[in-house]
Amino acid sequence: MTNDLRVTGTDRKSNPRIAVIGLGYVGLPLAVALAKTYSVVGFDIDVTRVSELRRGMDRTREIDNASLMNSSLELTSDPDRLTLQDVFIVTVPTPVDEKNRPDLRAVQKASETVGRAIEKGGIAVFESTVYPGVTEEICGPIIEELSGLTCGEDFHLGYSPERINPGDKVHTVDRITKVVAAQTPETAALLAEIYGSMNDNNIFIARDIKTAEASKIIENAQRDINIAFVNEIALIFGKMGLSVHDVLDAAQTKWNFLGFTPGLVGGHCIGVDPYYLAHAAQEIGYNPEIILSGRRVNDAMGATIAARIDLELGRKSARILLLGITFKENVPDIRNSKVIDIARSLRSLGHQVTIHDPLADAEEVQHEYAYPLTKELSGSFDCVIGAVSHDSFSDLALQDLVNEDGLIADIKGIWRDKPRLENRRYWSL
């Protein structure tokens, strides 16, 4: 990897030097894309992560080895390197705490990092998903305090909501519309130029920063509510003896029917962002009934599915193989995965649960969930659960994994179009 494109001039408008702070699913693809046009430094506090990226290894699988090694992106975990930059783009995660309240510690720490590095004329842009007001009312004052500069005069704020969909190789950061907003029209225009360099100027300039923050927060809240509806009808139709997948197949022949499917809603976006919107609503005295109702439905799905599988098993202790622990298909990310709710609920009901996932890291699973992960598929089980629809699960030889009269619990409909196995029972949402 080269780093010889460092700009020595100080003309921020014609050739700004950019720092991307946070090199996860969002920051890394953005930094690589911008480095095709600008001098870009990618910063992350995780020394191991930076070391891996320097060797061309991206554990998130968003950027391949060749793209990393051929990029001019400079990688560092040294905050002192950021003092030479003009535009700071913050892409750190914004999770919730144990009570589902916004946890802004990472974005606050990143603001401190920017505050120590930014100079007069600099721009601080936030991509992290937040509720309206965080950028200007929380991040800006932190930068002011650490830099000794005046926000809106000596430096300016901007916001450009991230729209990364992990594992999606079609809607990549350089192929989607990028929303930008800033404190001044001039700053917004500069951000439009910077982001437009990577996506053929496919830019939407929002009215202001709070509007842009709000637009992001409702994108995932909308999906969460729609999935909650489908999850609820799956439970209703299940009690009627109907397959929700069959029902959806018929309903989706209508031109304006929305194509959502039932399942677990985890990860660091859809399962989190609605709580940020709910928090903002409650702060101004409004109780968001639909948003929180959708969250309750989706958060309960793991335990609900486990109870149904327990019922199908006849409430006897069973050896269960749970396929998948990542929060979605074909990605290694286990953050806020709701599959663990199924495992824990089944274990509390007296079952023995073995988890297999070829993409997840066993050490991460143990650290995050205190649960062992098996990498080898061996043995025969009373029940096999398809919890995550990794491509590799589609053609598994289930007859070698499920005992006779055993149960195939197909949460995601992975095998619904496969021939039914003789002497094995099949259940799906």
Side-chain angles (χ1 to χ4, degrees), residues 48 89 119 315:
T48 301
I89 303 177
E119 298 176 353
R315 302 190 184 279

Side-chain angles (χ1 to χ4, degrees), residues 175-192:
R175 296 175 182 170
I176 59 171
T177 301
K178 208 70 171 76
V179 174
V180 301
Q183 288 178 303
T184 67
E186 293 77 17
T187 304
L190 177 57
L191 295 182

Side-chain angles (χ1 to χ4, degrees), residues 195-225:
Y195 282 107
S197 70
M198 68 179 181
N199 71 350
D200 198 26
N201 294 311
N202 186 10
I203 303 295
F204 179 91
I205 300 179
R207 179 179 296 274
D208 50 36
I209 289 176
K210 286 186 178 180
T211 298
E213 290 170 325
S215 74
K216 170 57 184 175
I217 207 72
I218 69 166
E219 289 175 13
N220 287 331
Q222 181 189 66
R223 291 185 59 80
D224 191 49
I225 292 167

Side-chain angles (χ1 to χ4, degrees), residues 230-262:
V230 176
N231 275 337
E232 190 162 67
I233 64 170
L235 301 178
I236 294 170
F237 292 147
K239 290 182 177 295
M240 296 179 178
L242 297 172
S243 164
V244 70
H245 295 287
D246 292 341
V247 174
L248 291 173
D249 283 347
Q252 286 171 3
T253 61
K254 188 170 187 286
W255 63 91
N256 60 352
F257 187 85
L258 302 179
F260 289 89
T261 55

Side-chain angles (χ1 to χ4, degrees), residues 324-383:
I325 188 62
T326 63
F327 86 88
K328 68 175 290 188
E329 67 277 3
N330 302 320
V331 300
D333 195 344
I334 65 167
R335 287 178 294 173
N336 194 35
S337 173
K338 295 302 180 183
V339 178
I340 196 65
D341 293 350
I342 298 177
R344 288 169 174 166
S345 295
L346 287 171
R347 179 181 276 186
S348 71
L349 291 167
H351 302 289
Q352 303 172 48
V353 181
T354 298
I355 303 177
H356 168 76
D357 194 312
L359 298 184
D361 182 271
E363 290 185 6
E364 288 185 11
V365 174
Q366 184 65 44
H367 177 267
E368 187 74 16
Y369 301 117
Y371 214 106
L373 186 69
T374 179
K375 281 296 183 181
E376 299 298 326
L377 274 179
S378 60
S380 191
F381 298 85
D382 302 311
C383 174

Side-chain angles (χ1 to χ4, degrees), residues 43-94:
F43 171 83
D44 201 289
I45 60 173
D46 186 340
V47 176
T48 301
R49 170 71 167 160
V50 171
S51 178
E52 289 175 352
L53 293 176
R54 284 174 173 166
R55 299 196 305 271
M57 297 169 54
D58 173 24
R59 71 180 79 150
T60 69
R61 305 190 182 192
E62 292 297 311
I63 302 295
D64 59 49
N65 179 283
S67 297
L68 262 180
M69 297 307 295
N70 293 329
S71 175
S72 64
L73 172 66
E74 179 183 346
L75 297 162
T76 186
S77 56
D78 180 7
D80 290 340
R81 175 62 187 90
L82 302 176
T83 57
L84 299 175
Q85 305 309 107
D86 306 312
V87 177
F88 300 83
I89 303 177
V90 175
T91 62
V92 298
T94 45

Side-chain angles (χ1 to χ4, degrees), residues 7 17 84 109 151 167 175 177 222 226 244 247 256 279 290 315 319 411 423:
V7 177
R17 298 163 298 190
L84 299 175
K109 287 290 185 183
C151 184
R175 296 175 182 170
T177 301
Q222 181 189 66
N226 278 290
V244 70
V247 174
N256 60 352
H279 170 82
I290 293 177
R315 302 190 184 279
R319 294 181 65 245
I411 296 171
N423 299 325

